[in-house]
Amino acid sequence: MATPFPEKSFAQWQDDALSNILSVTLDNANPKRGTRCYLKSVADELRSEGLAVLITTQVFERVLVARLDEDMVVASGISVFEYLVGSWQMSQTVVSNLCGAKGKALDLAVREARVQALREAQLLLVSYMGLSLQIPD
Protein backbone atom coordinates (compact mmCIF):
# COMPACT_ATOMS: atom_id res chain seq x y z
CA MET A 1 0.00 0.00 0.00
CA ALA A 2 1.33 3.46 -0.91
CA THR A 3 2.39 5.79 1.83
CA PRO A 4 0.17 8.88 1.91
CA PHE A 5 1.76 12.29 1.50
CA PRO A 6 2.37 14.02 4.82
CA GLU A 7 -0.20 16.67 5.73
CA LYS A 8 0.90 20.20 5.03
CA SER A 9 0.41 22.87 7.64
CA PHE A 10 -2.19 25.49 6.81
CA ALA A 11 0.59 28.07 6.26
CA GLN A 12 2.43 25.69 3.89
CA TRP A 13 -0.79 25.02 1.98
CA GLN A 14 -1.46 28.78 1.67
CA ASP A 15 2.10 29.33 0.42
CA ASP A 16 1.67 26.66 -2.27
CA ALA A 17 -1.79 27.85 -3.34
CA LEU A 18 -1.12 31.59 -3.26
CA SER A 19 2.28 31.19 -4.95
CA ASN A 20 0.59 29.30 -7.75
CA ILE A 21 -2.23 31.84 -8.04
CA LEU A 22 0.15 34.82 -8.35
CA SER A 23 2.89 32.87 -10.14
CA VAL A 24 5.47 34.02 -7.59
CA THR A 25 7.83 32.46 -5.07
CA LEU A 26 9.69 33.64 -2.01
CA ASP A 27 12.09 30.69 -2.23
CA ASN A 28 14.86 31.04 -4.79
CA ALA A 29 15.51 27.28 -4.53
CA ASN A 30 11.87 26.44 -5.40
CA PRO A 31 11.87 23.82 -8.19
CA LYS A 32 9.07 25.80 -9.88
CA ARG A 33 11.24 28.94 -9.79
CA GLY A 34 11.61 28.97 -13.58
CA THR A 35 7.92 29.64 -14.11
CA ARG A 36 7.48 31.99 -11.16
CA CYS A 37 8.70 35.47 -10.30
CA TYR A 38 11.09 35.38 -7.34
CA LEU A 39 10.28 38.23 -4.95
CA LYS A 40 13.59 38.54 -3.14
CA SER A 41 12.68 41.87 -1.53
CA VAL A 42 9.60 40.44 0.18
CA ALA A 43 11.50 37.32 1.29
CA ASP A 44 14.23 39.54 2.78
CA GLU A 45 11.65 41.76 4.53
CA LEU A 46 9.91 38.77 6.11
CA ARG A 47 13.24 37.34 7.30
CA SER A 48 14.26 40.69 8.81
CA GLU A 49 10.91 40.85 10.64
CA GLY A 50 11.41 37.35 12.01
CA LEU A 51 8.42 36.01 10.08
CA ALA A 52 8.12 32.76 8.18
CA VAL A 53 9.05 33.20 4.53
CA LEU A 54 5.70 31.91 3.32
CA ILE A 55 2.92 33.55 1.37
CA THR A 56 -0.11 33.56 3.64
CA THR A 57 -3.18 35.77 3.76
CA GLN A 58 -1.36 37.94 6.32
CA VAL A 59 1.27 38.97 3.76
CA PHE A 60 -0.72 38.44 0.55
CA GLU A 61 -1.22 42.15 -0.14
CA ARG A 62 2.49 42.86 0.38
CA VAL A 63 3.34 40.07 -2.08
CA LEU A 64 0.73 41.26 -4.58
CA VAL A 65 2.03 44.85 -4.49
CA ALA A 66 5.61 43.64 -4.93
CA ARG A 67 4.55 41.49 -7.87
CA LEU A 68 2.73 44.37 -9.51
CA ASP A 69 5.82 46.54 -9.05
CA GLU A 70 7.93 44.04 -10.97
CA ASP A 71 8.58 44.87 -14.60
CA MET A 72 7.67 41.30 -15.53
CA VAL A 73 3.94 42.05 -15.57
CA VAL A 74 4.46 44.76 -18.17
CA ALA A 75 7.19 42.82 -20.01
CA SER A 76 4.91 39.79 -20.31
CA GLY A 77 2.70 41.74 -22.70
CA ILE A 78 -0.39 41.66 -20.51
CA SER A 79 -1.87 44.53 -18.59
CA VAL A 80 -1.97 44.66 -14.80
CA PHE A 81 -5.73 44.20 -15.05
CA GLU A 82 -5.33 41.05 -17.16
CA TYR A 83 -2.78 39.68 -14.67
CA LEU A 84 -5.17 40.31 -11.78
CA VAL A 85 -8.09 38.72 -13.62
CA GLY A 86 -5.96 35.68 -14.44
CA SER A 87 -4.92 35.40 -10.80
CA TRP A 88 -8.56 35.66 -9.69
CA GLN A 89 -9.56 32.97 -12.19
CA MET A 90 -6.80 30.70 -10.89
CA SER A 91 -7.99 31.24 -7.32
CA GLN A 92 -11.55 30.45 -8.37
CA THR A 93 -10.38 27.19 -9.91
CA VAL A 94 -8.81 26.22 -6.59
CA VAL A 95 -12.02 27.17 -4.71
CA SER A 96 -14.07 25.10 -7.17
CA ASN A 97 -11.76 22.12 -6.66
CA LEU A 98 -12.02 22.45 -2.89
CA CYS A 99 -15.81 22.66 -3.02
CA GLY A 100 -16.13 19.87 -5.57
CA ALA A 101 -15.21 16.22 -5.67
CA LYS A 102 -11.49 16.88 -5.15
CA GLY A 103 -12.15 18.59 -1.83
CA LYS A 104 -14.55 16.01 -0.42
CA ALA A 105 -11.69 13.97 1.04
CA LEU A 106 -10.63 16.89 3.23
CA ASP A 107 -11.90 17.46 6.73
CA LEU A 108 -14.73 20.01 6.60
CA ALA A 109 -12.93 22.49 8.88
CA VAL A 110 -9.76 22.27 6.76
CA ARG A 111 -11.72 22.76 3.55
CA GLU A 112 -13.62 25.76 4.98
CA ALA A 113 -10.40 27.39 6.25
CA ARG A 114 -8.79 26.97 2.83
CA VAL A 115 -11.79 28.40 1.01
CA GLN A 116 -11.90 31.34 3.44
CA ALA A 117 -8.21 32.10 2.82
CA LEU A 118 -8.81 32.07 -0.92
CA ARG A 119 -11.88 34.30 -0.58
CA GLU A 120 -9.74 36.84 1.31
CA ALA A 121 -7.19 36.76 -1.51
CA GLN A 122 -9.97 37.16 -4.08
CA LEU A 123 -11.32 40.26 -2.32
CA LEU A 124 -7.90 41.90 -2.57
CA LEU A 125 -7.53 40.88 -6.20
CA VAL A 126 -10.91 42.45 -7.02
CA SER A 127 -9.97 45.64 -5.16
CA TYR A 128 -6.74 45.91 -7.12
CA MET A 129 -8.64 45.21 -10.37
CA GLY A 130 -10.77 48.27 -9.65
CA LEU A 131 -7.69 50.36 -8.88
CA SER A 132 -5.99 49.21 -12.06
CA LEU A 133 -8.99 50.40 -14.08
CA GLN A 134 -8.92 53.79 -12.36
CA ILE A 135 -5.15 54.15 -12.75
CA PRO A 136 -4.25 52.40 -16.02
CA ASP A 137 -0.74 51.08 -16.75
Side-chain angles (χ1 to χ4, degrees):
M1 186 168 161
T3 309
F5 292 105
E7 269 303 304
K8 292 180 183 179
S9 72
F10 184 55
Q12 290 168 324
W13 177 85
Q14 286 182 84
D15 183 63
D16 286 348
L18 297 174
S19 291
N20 189 43
I21 287 165
L22 294 179
S23 193
V24 299
T25 184
L26 299 180
D27 179 5
N28 197 27
N30 186 327
K32 296 179 183 174
R33 165 81 171 86
T35 60
R36 295 183 181 176
C37 178
Y38 173 52
L39 299 176
K40 182 182 183 323
S41 62
V42 177
D44 291 345
E45 284 175 22
L46 294 175
R47 275 188 208 92
S48 72
E49 295 170 19
L51 299 172
V53 183
L54 297 171
I55 302 172
T56 63
T57 53
Q58 289 76 25
V59 299
F60 183 77
E61 187 168 17
R62 189 187 315 190
V63 171
L64 179 59
V65 168
R67 178 63 171 103
L68 294 176
D69 282 345
E70 291 290 322
D71 291 335
M72 288 185 165
V73 172
V74 175
S76 68
I78 64 169
S79 69
V80 168
F81 181 76
E82 290 169 320
Y83 169 77
L84 292 166
V85 168
S87 296
W88 186 90
Q89 289 171 327
M90 179 68 78
S91 69
Q92 188 57 38
T93 298
V94 178
V95 168
S96 296
N97 287 339
L98 286 168
C99 294
K102 292 181 179 179
K104 295 295 182 208
L106 292 171
D107 177 74
L108 181 60
V110 170
R111 187 170 60 235
E112 287 176 353
R114 290 179 178 186
V115 169
Q116 178 60 35
L118 292 168
R119 294 288 187 217
E120 288 177 36
Q122 287 179 321
L123 285 173
L124 273 172
L125 290 167
V126 169
S127 293
Y128 277 84
M129 281 181 223
L131 285 172
S132 75
L133 291 173
Q134 293 175 2
I135 308 167
D137 298 337

